[in-house]
Amino acid sequence: MKKNIYYSLLMSSIITVAAAEETRQVDKHEHGVGELNIAVESSAINLEFMIPGADITGFEYEAKSDSDIALVNAALSKFENFQNIFILPDSSNCDLVDAEIGINQEDDHNDHDEHDEHDEHEDESHNEFVAHYSFSCRNVKEIDRIDFPYFTTFPSSGELEIQFVSEAGSTSFEVEGDEPFIDLKGKI
């Protein structure tokens, strides 16, 4: 019975996140604000980041010059080592099972927020860094806190809006660089 309730909650959350993601893809994005979805199921934890390109590289158009391509490659390299982005407690004994890092490119300039200089770059596209990490943990209940060196790795990032779901329920957090962690005591 408890598992059925959990799976219903998980599926509802996944559907909600998927619908929100689809809506978010066509809605505005906000510079300085990244999104993170975290799901904990049994001994697995999955983290998916969606960050506006301007927060990571300082621009959001498609990289074409050698210097812009170098900036994007350096950023992707930083995402490849998840400890540049987040840190799970050692006591949770989590092993990285899979990681997917990439860039989503959007061509519609109308999907933009917080800019006054629209006329200067009307034909430019917007990009978003996407990183998905999957872990298998021998002691997932020991994850009582996640730290985010992300804010020092990418200092132009101002905030992470986090959606969290586990067998214990779901919640949301807003994390900023001055307090770069979430407290998960009692949430897993």
Side-chain angles (χ1 to χ4, degrees):
M1 176 77 172
K2 184 177 179 184
K3 258 190 176 219
N4 288 339
I5 293 171
Y6 168 69
Y7 287 121
S8 295
L9 173 65
L10 181 63
M11 290 307 295
S12 173
S13 296
I14 288 171
I15 290 168
T16 301
V17 168
E21 171 65 12
E22 188 173 317
T23 301
R24 192 183 68 73
Q25 289 293 334
V26 297
D27 280 347
K28 301 174 188 174
H29 70 258
E30 184 179 350
H31 294 179
V33 179
E35 296 180 25
L36 169 58
N37 296 317
I38 303 173
V40 178
E41 179 182 6
S42 186
S43 63
I45 182 168
N46 292 287
L47 298 95
E48 182 182 41
F49 292 82
M50 293 145 298
I51 315 290
D55 298 357
I56 304 301
T57 59
F59 60 87
E60 55 184 15
Y61 50 82
E62 183 178 353
K64 293 182 180 171
S65 73
D66 289 345
S67 61
D68 285 351
I69 291 169
L71 282 171
V72 168
N73 287 337
L76 290 170
S77 183
K78 290 176 183 177
F79 274 105
E80 286 177 10
N81 179 356
F82 70 87
Q83 291 183 329
N84 288 324
I85 312 303
F86 61 93
I87 298 172
L88 300 172
D90 289 338
S91 59
S92 63
N93 294 310
C94 293
D95 296 314
L96 183 64
V97 175
D98 187 37
E100 295 176 26
I101 316 299
I103 299 175
N104 286 342
Q105 194 74 39
E106 296 178 10
D107 293 324
D108 187 357
H109 181 73
N110 294 326
D111 293 349
H112 206 308
D113 198 10
E114 285 198 357
H115 258 268
D116 293 326
E117 62 270 4
H118 287 288
D119 294 336
E120 293 176 18
H121 59 274
E122 279 187 16
D123 296 326
E124 293 178 5
S125 56
H126 298 118
N127 66 40
E128 174 179 71
F129 283 76
V130 178
H132 180 237
Y133 306 93
S134 296
F135 292 85
S136 176
C137 305
R138 288 181 294 287
N139 199 358
V140 74
K141 299 264 188 213
E142 288 292 315
I143 301 174
D144 58 356
R145 175 182 169 125
I146 300 176
D147 290 293
F148 295 98
Y150 160 80
F151 292 102
T152 53
T153 301
F154 300 111
S156 293
S157 299
E159 179 182 308
L160 277 175
E161 293 180 348
I162 301 172
Q163 298 298 317
F164 177 86
V165 63
S166 74
E167 294 174 10
S170 63
T171 190
S172 62
F173 302 92
E174 286 187 7
V175 179
E176 296 180 353
D178 59 343
E179 291 188 26
F181 66 90
I182 55 174
D183 181 354
L184 295 174
K185 288 182 183 115
K187 294 184 174 35
I188 296 180

